[in-house]
Amino acid sequence: MKVFKFGGASLESVERIRQVAEIVQSFPDEKLLIVISAMAKTTNDLEKVAENFFQGNREIAAQLLSNIEHHHLNVAEALLGNREHALFTQLQQFFTEAEWTLGETPLRTYDYYYDQLVGLGELLSTAIVSAFFNTVGLTNTWLDVRDIFRTDDNFRDANIDWVYTQRQVTEKVQPLFNSINMVITQGFIGSTDQNESVTLGREGSDYSAAVFANMLDAESQTIWKDVEGLKNADPKQFPNTVNIPEISYAEVIEMAYYGAQVIHPKTIKPLQNKQIPLLVKCFLDKNLPGTVISETADVKQLPPIIVLKKDQVLLNITSKDFSFITEDKISDIYEIFHGLKVKINLMQNGAINFSCCIDNNPEKIELLIKTLHEQFKIVYNEGLELLTVRYYQAGLLEELSDGHPVLLEQRSPATIQRLWKK
Ligand code: ASP
Ligand code: MG
């Protein structure tokens, strides 16, 4: 059994969906569990529906939803040739449910309503792809993943109940493959024990696929993308990037940690735990080698890996009364950051001060300053960028730094980080 994941870019247009079908056709005798995310920018559009609904702009929310509806109905019609197919009844039901939500008066949290509305993108895309595949001989079963993935009610970042979900996978998903070779289901969503829909965090479909791969003991997981494979830097930020043919799980986790938007960071653990290789392949040309992510990959073969995090802020926290910032104080500071869910990207401490670099989120920074200011004096510096280079080579760093004034730097034999003014 193999697990495939197709993301939004692979469903961007009718042509692309046909290309996806061609890819799948080239694996005729495989048992495939296929996880699909929402088409192109649908999730962003649904976020706007949720925002407007919650702010009381009902008409705008309804209008935005209706735009999404038209788009999906047009794509479905182009793929199926008419609007007679049972798919259209299924799509209609999804839209009716969303309209009901829009008719409610919001009494619960924003995150709750977000999850009831935003997961619609995956329900629509999978229903369309499944129906289309069945008409072109790719016989498959459509599965509502909310009957399988049980989570807590931490809306927008729900946590999977592994024991319950594993039982569902064993009892409900595995047996489907006795009579069929292909199951199509949604990434990114699940449901609570109260049957409320949840989402697993933006870009969470890679993770959903990894959970399935783990629970089905798949031989591999493939993420099909519109790029060649994993690159040593973001081609939108740097020229001359190269493809990485092989890399370890650990290295990919590090890359994601430093801010590379490669693969959802939660994806690796379920795969590593069962030693399931993760392949990143290009759906535009499946003959390209792509990237293999597994336990062992030779670090010596790796090119320098470059990650640039933009829009950073450096917070300088100094004790007001000249008392030392020792372990107990640092632990208090970390607790405040943790409570506000602010991730520290780089830190350094001295006798009476603590500096750290975080993503620029003005609301959170305001809250941080409010909480910290009784004990500490806080100065902050905006408009910064954090460069991380793994396996740096002489000369490269100077070339990348390009005269930017450096505010903070940290080095270890494998990694260098530089925070600079843009
Ligand atoms: N559709 C969701 C998102 O755009 C999940 C995913 O693409 O993985 O965040
Ligand atoms: Mg996406």
Side-chain angles (χ1 to χ4, degrees), residues 24 30-36 90 123 125-135 137-145 147-148 172-186 212:
V24 176
E30 288 293 345
K31 293 207 182 296
L32 297 177
L33 181 120
I34 304 183
V35 171
I36 293 182
Q90 192 187 9
L123 293 168
S125 64
T126 51
I128 294 171
V129 170
S130 167
F132 169 61
F133 275 20
N134 276 320
T135 64
L138 292 168
T139 312
N140 71 88
T141 297
W142 179 84
L143 178 73
D144 188 333
V145 79
D147 296 331
I148 310 296
K172 295 191 176 157
V173 184
Q174 194 92 56
L176 295 173
F177 287 97
N178 294 334
S179 52
I180 206 156
N181 272 347
M182 197 188 306
V183 172
I184 294 185
T185 195
Q186 307 78 41
F212 271 118

Side-chain angles (χ1 to χ4, degrees), residues 5 7-9 37-38 40 43 122 202-203 205:
K5 181 259 173 171
S37 56
T43 306
E122 272 68 14
R202 285 303 306 267
E203 305 303 330
S205 300

Side-chain angles (χ1 to χ4, degrees), residues 14 27 44 56-57 72 84 100 105 107 128 148 161 182 194-195 208 236 243 245 253 315 320 346 352 393 421:
V14 171
F27 294 86
N44 294 359
N57 307 325
H72 282 80
E84 308 307 313
W100 281 341
T105 306
L107 298 171
I128 294 171
I148 310 296
D161 174 340
M182 197 188 306
Q194 303 296 310
N195 282 327
S208 301
K236 285 183 219 115
N243 194 59
I253 290 199
L315 283 186
K320 279 187 178 163
L346 184 69
I352 57 163
Q393 293 164 351
K421 189 113 198 135

